[in-house]
Every structure is written in structure tokens, then in C-alpha cells.
């Protein structure tokens, strides 16, 4: 076993864990244990939070850093992330089955870009602005860091989704206690090494591997000022209830069941790579994918054929192989869940045109063939619930109004796409879809713009200037006018 860690990174120090638990990490494509790390206990959590609070209040430490000092640190951080990118990409890919090409772009390039973006953003932002008051005086409006952030991250994009939180939080001057998913903890130990090499000041970042119990303890901890969560809607609801009771600010990036609306003039064959990315990226283990493909009645068979060809020709294999387009599911449990939905699709009468099984050439690893279901009703279970695997439902519609109605008839509202040769028409349709973000002939969360969901897909936004604002509190100081 190559990746064995015995200590935890708590507020800038490597320490023996207080508890005795360990977490084994299993490679998705071989089912072999490739690493082991300590499981953090609630005693470790107490230490992390105490150090994070102390760092916020330390005028000679993190609490006293200027904007320029933080921005310079983020720039150096970005450079190291880029330098060590391949190590991150390989580790993520081995743990969760992400094809290596996706891992290089999403799990290394994106975090480095976010650090640079937020460094530039804080350099350009006044910490305090002065406004002419309505009653003759002046008001100083000050942006302060929100405090100690608890960041809870899922396994599907473990680095990127962590940096959605870490980059703006550090930019704002917060401290962060990170709880990664047990399936993907090895990359966070690499991250801890990077933080150490940067000389991250004491208390600023802690990394606490653990499962949902530790997640719950973090959400409820009295020393936490804000929770940033990405994960399932079920967990998000519990976290929202707790944060509601505690009046604790929270952002929730949750599940999705987005629509890919194919308009009658769409040219799918010349957009096939974008279509694949927007519907099956990372083996379908991506929250924003358009897994309900809405096809016009007049072109229904053609759309089903195109998707069937796309899925059946996708190269399934070792995620570390650059030719691989579909790797394994992240865990045995998760494959079971995906296969269970395929069973439900068949039982409910949908017509499976390709896939449905395990690839014969892959006896090891949690592989599932990319699967297309045609003749699916929007009320079928596989159209309502998030499968989180390479499984698409193709749903027929009559006119564009009906397509928009079907797209909006979902508990979720996270991503989505419109496919057309007429960008203006695509934009018009995109505006009518109830969702947090949507693309025309393309989909990739752009870091300059807010990302998040409506309905059961979540509360709040990450990325963009809006993402930075989540980690700041605005305070107002009133000064009298001369005559007052
Ligand atoms: P999950 O909700 O089971 O776990 C996510 C994280 O939360 C893990 O670290 C887990 O240990 C922790 N956790 C679980 N229950 C908790 C609780 N009650 N309190 C505190 N922490 C808890 O989700 P998952 O299976 O790891 O990830 C897949 C889900 O994440 C999918 O539903 C997917 O759509 C969603 N997701 C959303 C986005 C987005 O930006 N909207 C992005 C990626 C993934």
C-alpha cells in the first residue's frame, strides 16, 4: 500500500489523531486498497475549531494579514497546485474513477484558476467604503470575514468542490475546517502537504477525514460560523435544519436532474463531444448533468439513435488511460445504487437501447455500461430521481412550450442545456428554464459567474463575486454630519 498516513493536519500541524479509527481507500478500477488514513474524532474537531478561532483573532497571525498578503499567498498556492497538478489528478482518478483527462482539467486546472481569480478579486475590492448618509452624515461599510468555515465536500470532484469553498474563504480572511468524503481522502493529504509547503499560518486550515457523523458534529459545532456543503439533497436537508435552528449561515449545493432540451433545428452530431460532457461527464457522477434529454417528437428516433451511438461507442476502461471516456463508479455501494435504478427503469417499461449491464471486459472495478432509456415518461422514477451514473432518459415533447414545461417539472433545478443552431432562440428557451445555470450547446460552470441551484438543488451560490460575498459579513458604522 503506497499512501499510508498516520497523522492528521490540524491547523497547520501534523499530529497524532486522538481516536483510533482508520479509513481505507479503495481504487475504483481495481477494488484494491491503495491507502489508509486516520479517521478524525470529535476531539480532533474541537482542536481544529479552537485553532481556527484563535487564528481569526490573532493580530500577529492570520487575523492581522492584509489583503495583499492573502492575495500573494493565494497566487503562490495557485502556482504550487499547477506544478503538482498531475499528482492530484492521478490520485483523484484512482479513488473515484474519474477519467484522467477530466481530472487534469477539473481537479487541478480549476482550483488553480479559482485561487488566482479570488486573489485578483480581493485586490480590486475595498475592505471599507464610505457612503454619503441619507441624513447628512457618512456611513463606513466594512467587509469582514464571516469567521470559521466548516466545508463539507463529496467524492465526485473532491478538489474542485473543496476549492469552490476554500479559495473564496481564504480570500475573505476566513479560516476553514475541511471534512472530505471518506471515499476521496488521499488527495486532501496531498493538499495538506501543499499547505505546509506554502507556510500557511497556524490554525487557518484543518483537514478532518471522516463520515457523516463527523460531518454532523462539524455542522453543529458551537465554534463554527458558517457551513458550506456540497452533496446529496437528503444530507443537505438535515444540514439546513440544523443551521436553521442555530441561525448559522449555510450554502447548500445539492443534487440535480437537469434537462437537455434538443430543439428541432439542433445539430447534435457536430456537437457530440459537448453533448457527451453535458450528459455523461465523470461517468455520470456529476451534479449538473442533463440526464433527462428532451427530444422533439419529429426527430425523436434520430435523437435516440445519436445518444445510443454516443453511449455504445464511449471507451470504457482504466480511468488513468487517456483514451478512457467512461471509468468505474466510485464505490461498490454507488454502483449498486446505479444498477438498482437501471432495474427500476426496465421494470417501469422504459425501452433500453444500449447498456444496462457491466462491461464483460472489466471483471474488476465498479463499472457500469453507459445506458440509454427511450420512451420514458417524465413521471417515471428514472426521470424524477438523481441516478448519478451514466444513465440517460429520453423524453419526447410536442412544442417548445411543452419542452419547457417538462424541463421545469422536476424537484430539482441545478444545470441544463439547450441544443440548437440558433443561439438567440437557445437563449430565449434557456431564460425560461427554472434552474441555477444553463448552457446553449455547451455546459461547464464558468468560475466568473454564480453557480448553484433552485428548488431541491440547493440554497445560495458559489463562484463569481457572489461566491466571495458568502464568506464576508457587511457591517455599517454611522458617523454624524458636521451639523448634527
Ligand atoms: P452525501 O450527501 O452522501 O455526502 C457528501 C458529504 O457530506 C460527505 O463528505 C459526507 O460524509 C457528508 N455528509 C453526509 N451526510 C451528512 C450529514 N447529515 N451532515 C453532515 N455531513 C454529511 O453525497 P455524496 O454521495 O458524497 O455525493 C453525491 C451527491 O452530491 C449527489 O447528490 C450530487 O448531486 C451532489 N453534488 C452536488 C453538487 C452541486 O454543486 N450542486 C456537486 C457535486 C455533487
Amino acid at each position: 500500500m503506497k499512501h499510508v498516513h498516520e497523522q492528521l493536519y490540524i491547523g497547520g500541524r501534523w499530529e497524532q489523531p486522538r481516536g483510533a479509527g482508520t479509513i481505507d481507500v479503495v481504487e475504483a478500477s481495481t477494488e484494491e486498497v491503495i491507502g489508509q488514513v486516520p479517521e478524525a474524532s470529535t476531539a480532533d474537531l474541537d482542536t481544529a475549531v479552537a485553532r481556527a478561532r484563535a487564528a481569526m483573532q490573532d493580530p500577529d497571525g492570520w487575523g492581522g494579514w492584509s489583503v495583499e498578503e492573502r492575495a500573494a499567498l493565494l497566487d503562490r498556492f495557485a502556482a504550487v497546485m499547477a506544478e503538482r497538478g498531475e499528482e492530484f489528478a492521478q490520485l483523484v482518478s484512482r479513488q473515484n474513477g474519474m477519467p484522467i483527462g477530466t481530472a487534469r482539467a477539473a481537479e487541478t486546472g480549476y482550483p488553480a484558476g479559482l485561487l488566482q481569480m479570488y486573489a485578483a478579486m480581493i485586490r480590486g475590492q475595498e475592505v471599507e467604503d464610505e457612503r454619503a448618509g441619507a441624513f447628512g452624515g457618512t456611513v463606513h461599510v466594512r467587509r469582514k470575514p464571516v469567521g470559521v468555515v466548516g466545508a463539507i465536500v463529496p467524492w465526485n470532484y473532491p478538489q474542485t468542490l473543496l476549492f469552490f469553498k476554500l479559495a473564496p474563504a481564504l480570500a475573505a480572511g476566513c479560516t476553514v475546517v475541511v471534512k472530505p468524503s471518506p471515499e476521496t481522502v488521499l488527495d486532501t493529504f496531498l493538499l495538506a502537504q501543499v499547505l505546509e509547503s506554502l507556510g500557511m499560518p497556524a490554525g487557518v486550515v484543518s483537514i478532518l477525514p471522516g463520515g457523516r457523523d463527523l460531518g454532523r458534529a462539524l455542522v453543529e459545532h458551537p465554534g463554527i460560523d458558517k457551513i458550506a456543503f456540497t452533496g446529496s439533497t437528503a444530507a443537505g436537508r438535515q444540514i439546513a435544519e440544523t443551521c436553521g435552528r442555530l441561525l448559522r449561515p449555510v450554502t447548500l449545493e445539492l443534487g440535480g436532474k437537469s434537462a437537455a432540451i434538443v430543439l428541432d433545428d439542433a445539430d447534435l452530431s457536430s456537437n457530440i463531444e459537448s453533448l457527451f460532457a453535458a450528459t455523461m461527464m465523470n461517468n455520470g457522477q456529476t451534479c449538473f448533468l442533463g440526464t433527462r434529454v428532451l427530444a422533439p417528437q419529429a426527430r425523436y428516433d434520430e435523437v435516440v439513435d445519436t445518444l445510443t451511438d454516443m453511449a455504445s461507442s464511449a471507451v470504457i476502461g482504466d480511468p488513468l488511460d487517456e483514451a478512457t471516456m467512461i471509468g468505474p463508479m466510485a464505490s461498490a455501494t454507488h454502483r449498486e445504487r446505479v444498477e438498482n435504478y437501471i432495474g427500476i427503469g426496465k421494470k417501469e417499461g422504459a425501452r433500453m437501447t444500449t447498456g444496462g449491464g457491466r462491461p464483460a471486459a472489466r471483471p474488476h472495478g465498479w463499472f457500469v455500461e453507459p445506458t440509454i432509456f427511450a420512451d420514458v415518461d417524465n413521471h417515471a422514477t428514472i426521470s424524477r430521481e438523481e441516478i448519478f451514473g451514466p444513465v440517460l432518459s429520453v423524453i419526447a415533447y410536442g412544442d417548445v412550450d411543452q419542452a419547457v414545461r417538462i424541463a421545469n417539472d422536476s424537484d430539482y433545478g441545478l444545470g441544463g442545456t439547450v441544443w440548437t443552431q440558433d443561439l438567440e432562440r437557445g437563449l430565449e428557451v434557456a431564460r425560461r428554464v427554472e434552474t441555477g445555470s444553463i448552457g446553449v450547446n455547451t455546459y461547464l460552470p464558468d468560475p466568473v459567474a454564480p453557480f448553484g441551484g433552485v428548488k431541491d438543488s440547493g440554497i445560495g451560490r458559489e463562484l463569481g463575486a457572489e461566491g466571495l460575498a458568502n464568506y464576508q459579513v457587511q457591517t455599517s458604522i454611522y458617523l454624524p454630519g458636521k451639523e448634527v
Side-chain angles (χ1 to χ4, degrees):
M1 221 192 319
K2 232 171 116 189
H3 305 281
V4 179
H5 298 276
E6 281 168 3
Q7 295 189 313
L8 293 172
Y9 181 81
I10 304 184
R13 293 189 220 159
W14 288 100
E15 288 185 355
Q16 285 307 117
R18 312 293 201 284
T22 54
I23 297 171
D24 283 348
V25 180
V26 183
E27 183 167 28
S29 65
T30 61
E31 303 179 37
E32 279 167 19
V33 177
I34 55 165
Q36 190 181 67
V37 306
E39 183 176 18
S41 63
T42 48
D44 297 313
L45 172 62
D46 289 341
T47 307
V49 174
R51 286 188 188 154
R53 294 211 77 76
M56 287 296 309
Q57 282 146 18
D58 180 5
D60 301 320
W62 181 247
W65 276 38
S66 67
V67 166
E68 182 45 44
E69 283 170 312
R70 291 205 302 274
L73 177 87
L74 294 185
D75 279 339
R76 283 195 291 122
F77 195 175
V80 181
M81 289 304 290
E83 251 167 57
R84 302 193 64 175
E86 188 58 22
E87 290 170 73
F88 281 100
Q90 301 247 350
L91 266 185
V92 170
S93 186
R94 292 184 71 190
Q95 294 174 102
N96 71 3
M98 183 185 293
I100 190 72
T102 307
R104 283 184 186 129
E107 291 290 278
T108 70
Y110 210 106
L114 284 180
L115 290 165
Q116 285 166 332
M117 183 181 87
Y118 282 114
M121 205 176 283
I122 54 172
R123 282 190 177 108
Q125 192 178 64
E126 295 289 338
V127 171
E128 198 166 290
D129 66 81
E130 195 179 327
R131 303 177 189 181
F135 314 115
T138 54
V139 185
H140 287 237
V141 177
R142 187 169 179 81
R143 293 180 185 82
K144 289 184 175 176
V146 72
V148 181
V149 175
I152 303 178
V153 187
W155 46 259
N156 63 333
Y157 291 86
Q159 284 294 310
T160 309
L161 294 172
L162 169 54
F163 275 85
F164 273 35
K165 301 158 184 53
L166 187 62
L170 294 178
C174 297
T175 54
V176 188
V177 178
V178 179
K179 196 210 75 64
S181 255
E183 291 84 353
T184 46
V185 279
L186 296 180
D187 50 294
T188 58
F189 280 76
L190 186 55
L191 178 65
Q193 289 163 11
V194 168
L195 294 169
E196 193 185 19
S197 75
L198 288 168
M200 188 60 82
V204 178
V205 183
S206 293
I207 293 174
L208 303 180
R212 59 187 51 180
D213 288 343
L214 187 68
R216 283 197 192 98
L218 174 59
V219 172
E220 289 189 347
H221 200 287
I224 292 288
D225 298 302
K226 177 205 156 56
I227 290 292
F229 173 78
T230 301
S232 62
T233 296
R237 269 187 218 288
Q238 293 179 5
I239 292 169
E241 282 179 18
T242 306
C243 290
R245 177 166 47 82
L246 298 172
L247 295 179
R248 182 161 292 170
V250 60
T251 38
L252 301 166
E253 302 285 0
L254 310 176
K257 192 76 200 179
S258 303
I261 306 175
V262 179
L263 296 185
D264 54 9
D265 68 333
D267 173 12
L268 290 186
S269 27
S270 54
N271 281 302
I272 204 74
E273 278 181 29
S274 296
L275 183 66
F276 181 84
T279 54
M280 290 211 173
M281 188 154 108
N282 192 20
N283 322 325
Q285 302 175 136
T286 308
C287 52
F288 55 68
L289 295 177
T291 48
R292 291 182 296 144
V293 181
L294 312 191
Q297 201 77 62
R299 293 185 61 192
Y300 189 76
D301 292 343
E302 184 200 330
V303 172
V304 170
D305 289 349
T306 304
L307 292 168
T308 304
D309 286 351
M310 178 186 91
S312 58
S313 61
V315 181
I316 304 173
D318 180 350
L320 292 175
D321 183 338
E322 290 189 15
T324 293
M325 296 164 72
I326 295 281
M329 300 293 94
S331 66
T333 325
H334 187 53
R335 176 168 67 176
E336 248 170 60
R337 174 191 148 101
V338 173
E339 288 181 333
N340 184 43
Y341 275 115
I342 292 174
I344 292 174
K346 289 196 238 175
K347 216 157 82 197
E348 291 187 353
R351 175 166 60 95
M352 197 173 71
T353 64
T354 185
R358 299 177 178 182
R362 291 271 148 199
H364 301 294
W366 301 303
F367 290 88
V368 176
E369 289 173 330
T371 302
I372 306 294
F373 280 109
D375 306 340
V376 190
D377 188 87
N378 192 47
H379 296 104
T381 307
I382 56 168
S383 305
R384 308 302 300 177
E385 296 182 15
E386 184 182 51
I387 300 175
F388 224 53
V391 183
L392 306 183
S393 301
V394 197
I395 301 166
Y397 70 81
D399 59 16
V400 171
D401 288 345
Q402 194 192 3
V404 171
R405 271 201 306 277
I406 297 172
N408 292 341
D409 178 8
S410 172
D411 293 337
Y412 294 107
L414 186 61
T417 44
V418 183
W419 302 86
T420 173
Q421 294 190 54
D422 180 345
L423 289 186
E424 273 307 312
R425 191 171 166 227
L427 192 56
E428 279 306 310
V429 174
R431 287 188 178 117
R432 297 173 61 191
V433 179
E434 293 161 6
T435 187
S437 57
I438 185 163
V440 181
N441 298 343
T442 185
Y443 187 97
L444 198 60
D446 191 317
V448 306
F451 174 80
V454 298
K455 302 191 266 185
D456 288 1
S457 291
I459 296 176
R461 293 291 178 267
E462 295 189 304
L463 302 182
E466 294 80 0
L468 178 62
N470 281 328
Y471 296 93
Q472 296 170 324
V473 281
Q474 287 86 28
T475 56
S476 299
I477 306 168
Y478 311 119
L479 298 176
K482 285 197 184 74
E483 300 84 23
V484 176

